[in-house]
Amino acid sequence: FFNIISIPEIIPDLTVNLYNPNRYMEGLTLLNIHTPQTQGQSIAVDKEGTIVWILSVPNPIISGNYNRFEVLNILPNGNFFVLHSSDDKIYEITLDNQIVWETPDEIKAHHDFLLMPNGNYLGLAKTYEFGNIPNGPWSNDFEGFDSFLWRSDEIIEWDRDGNEIWKWKASDYFNMVDYDSGRFSYDIYTQYYFDWTHSNAIYYNPLDQSIYL
């Protein structure tokens, strides 16, 4: 026995504009909705656009009105990997929205997360360190400042108990002389860090045990 929660008023009405039964894959369609009201909400709909499932994680409000949950992957056991980008955490949740695993609190997870063949987890995480402010059109505006916060990426493997098994850190393999000057020019004026490596996805190839970033 199961039931579905009431559909929140902030979820917009959905209309199916095109349905081709010859090309439709049977099952449900998973959608991540982003509107000024929802700031991120995951739902599942049937072929008629009827909502049959809503992501509802306990204690979703972290700060202010920013509440961005989105489903990243559906697992073979029917669970989901869910990203909460407000608090940089990724959860494994069941279909009835019970949390069964989450990234450690000290990890700033983002964008992508995988279940490995050995049962471990593999995911992207943010990491920050101070680096030099390179010479550029911004130099006069920041004269007297000798460093700026650079953000790069890590790939981390955890076991089911949350123990770190392996880690790769981009800043150990890339030199800060190799950077996007256009992005740096934008970031130094608009935010407190330079988004240096900006990774969005990872892929694990079990045939040769390689990871693509």
Short mmCIF file of all heavy atoms in Angstrom, two decimals, residues 39 42 62-63 96 121-122 124 126 141 144 153 164 172 177 201:
data_model
loop_
_atom_site.label_atom_id
_atom_site.label_comp_id
_atom_site.label_asym_id
_atom_site.label_seq_id
_atom_site.Cartn_x
_atom_site.Cartn_y
_atom_site.Cartn_z
N GLN A 39 11.92 26.78 -7.56
CA GLN A 39 13.37 26.72 -7.42
C GLN A 39 13.88 25.29 -7.48
O GLN A 39 14.86 24.94 -6.85
CB GLN A 39 13.83 27.38 -6.11
CG GLN A 39 13.54 28.86 -6.02
CD GLN A 39 14.37 29.67 -6.99
OE1 GLN A 39 15.40 29.22 -7.47
NE2 GLN A 39 13.92 30.86 -7.30
N SER A 42 11.26 17.84 -8.56
CA SER A 42 11.25 16.68 -9.43
C SER A 42 9.90 15.98 -9.34
O SER A 42 9.36 15.78 -8.25
CB SER A 42 12.36 15.69 -9.05
OG SER A 42 13.62 16.25 -9.31
N ILE A 62 16.60 24.84 3.52
CA ILE A 62 17.92 25.06 4.12
C ILE A 62 18.10 26.52 4.50
O ILE A 62 18.47 26.85 5.61
CB ILE A 62 19.04 24.62 3.16
CG1 ILE A 62 18.84 23.15 2.79
CG2 ILE A 62 20.41 24.85 3.78
CD1 ILE A 62 18.91 22.20 3.97
N SER A 63 17.83 27.42 3.59
CA SER A 63 17.97 28.84 3.88
C SER A 63 17.05 29.63 2.95
O SER A 63 16.93 29.33 1.77
CB SER A 63 19.42 29.31 3.69
OG SER A 63 19.84 29.10 2.36
N ASP A 96 9.46 6.09 -1.84
CA ASP A 96 8.59 6.78 -0.89
C ASP A 96 9.33 7.85 -0.10
O ASP A 96 8.95 8.22 1.00
CB ASP A 96 7.91 5.79 0.06
CG ASP A 96 8.90 4.94 0.84
OD1 ASP A 96 10.11 5.06 0.58
OD2 ASP A 96 8.45 4.17 1.71
N TYR A 121 29.99 4.41 -4.31
CA TYR A 121 29.48 5.62 -4.93
C TYR A 121 30.64 6.42 -5.52
O TYR A 121 31.74 6.47 -4.95
CB TYR A 121 28.76 6.48 -3.90
CG TYR A 121 27.57 5.82 -3.24
CD1 TYR A 121 27.68 5.26 -1.96
CD2 TYR A 121 26.34 5.75 -3.89
CE1 TYR A 121 26.59 4.65 -1.35
CE2 TYR A 121 25.25 5.15 -3.29
CZ TYR A 121 25.37 4.61 -2.04
OH TYR A 121 24.30 4.01 -1.43
N LEU A 122 30.38 7.10 -6.63
CA LEU A 122 31.38 7.93 -7.28
C LEU A 122 30.73 9.26 -7.63
O LEU A 122 29.67 9.29 -8.27
CB LEU A 122 31.91 7.26 -8.55
CG LEU A 122 33.11 7.92 -9.23
CD1 LEU A 122 34.37 7.70 -8.40
CD2 LEU A 122 33.30 7.38 -10.64
N LEU A 124 31.15 13.92 -8.02
CA LEU A 124 31.90 15.17 -8.13
C LEU A 124 31.74 15.99 -6.86
O LEU A 124 30.68 15.99 -6.24
CB LEU A 124 31.39 16.00 -9.31
CG LEU A 124 31.80 15.58 -10.71
CD1 LEU A 124 31.00 16.39 -11.75
CD2 LEU A 124 33.29 15.81 -10.93
N LYS A 126 33.13 19.94 -4.99
CA LYS A 126 33.83 21.21 -5.13
C LYS A 126 34.97 21.27 -4.11
O LYS A 126 34.85 20.76 -3.00
CB LYS A 126 32.88 22.38 -4.87
CG LYS A 126 31.60 22.36 -5.67
CD LYS A 126 30.66 23.44 -5.16
CE LYS A 126 29.29 23.35 -5.80
NZ LYS A 126 28.33 24.34 -5.23
N ASP A 141 42.09 47.32 -11.22
CA ASP A 141 40.99 47.36 -10.26
C ASP A 141 41.31 46.57 -8.99
O ASP A 141 40.70 46.81 -7.94
CB ASP A 141 39.71 46.81 -10.89
CG ASP A 141 39.18 47.70 -11.99
OD1 ASP A 141 39.50 48.91 -11.98
OD2 ASP A 141 38.47 47.19 -12.88
N GLY A 144 47.02 45.61 -5.35
CA GLY A 144 47.17 45.44 -3.91
C GLY A 144 46.65 44.11 -3.41
O GLY A 144 46.97 43.69 -2.29
N ASP A 153 37.63 20.93 -8.93
CA ASP A 153 36.81 19.75 -8.71
C ASP A 153 37.61 18.57 -8.18
O ASP A 153 38.81 18.44 -8.43
CB ASP A 153 36.14 19.31 -10.02
CG ASP A 153 35.15 20.34 -10.52
OD1 ASP A 153 34.04 20.39 -9.99
OD2 ASP A 153 35.51 21.11 -11.43
N GLU A 164 35.78 7.29 2.60
CA GLU A 164 36.42 7.67 1.35
C GLU A 164 37.40 6.57 0.93
O GLU A 164 38.31 6.22 1.67
CB GLU A 164 37.15 8.99 1.51
CG GLU A 164 37.80 9.51 0.24
CD GLU A 164 38.50 10.83 0.44
OE1 GLU A 164 37.82 11.82 0.80
OE2 GLU A 164 39.74 10.88 0.25
N ASP A 172 45.72 19.03 -8.45
CA ASP A 172 46.98 18.29 -8.35
C ASP A 172 47.56 17.99 -9.73
O ASP A 172 48.73 17.61 -9.84
CB ASP A 172 46.77 16.97 -7.60
CG ASP A 172 46.50 17.18 -6.12
OD1 ASP A 172 46.87 18.26 -5.60
OD2 ASP A 172 45.91 16.28 -5.49
N VAL A 177 48.36 28.37 -14.34
CA VAL A 177 48.66 29.21 -15.51
C VAL A 177 47.72 28.86 -16.67
O VAL A 177 47.61 29.62 -17.64
CB VAL A 177 50.13 29.05 -15.95
CG1 VAL A 177 51.07 29.48 -14.84
CG2 VAL A 177 50.43 27.62 -16.39
N ALA A 201 30.00 16.55 -15.38
CA ALA A 201 29.61 15.15 -15.50
C ALA A 201 30.82 14.24 -15.39
O ALA A 201 31.95 14.64 -15.69
CB ALA A 201 28.90 14.91 -16.84
#
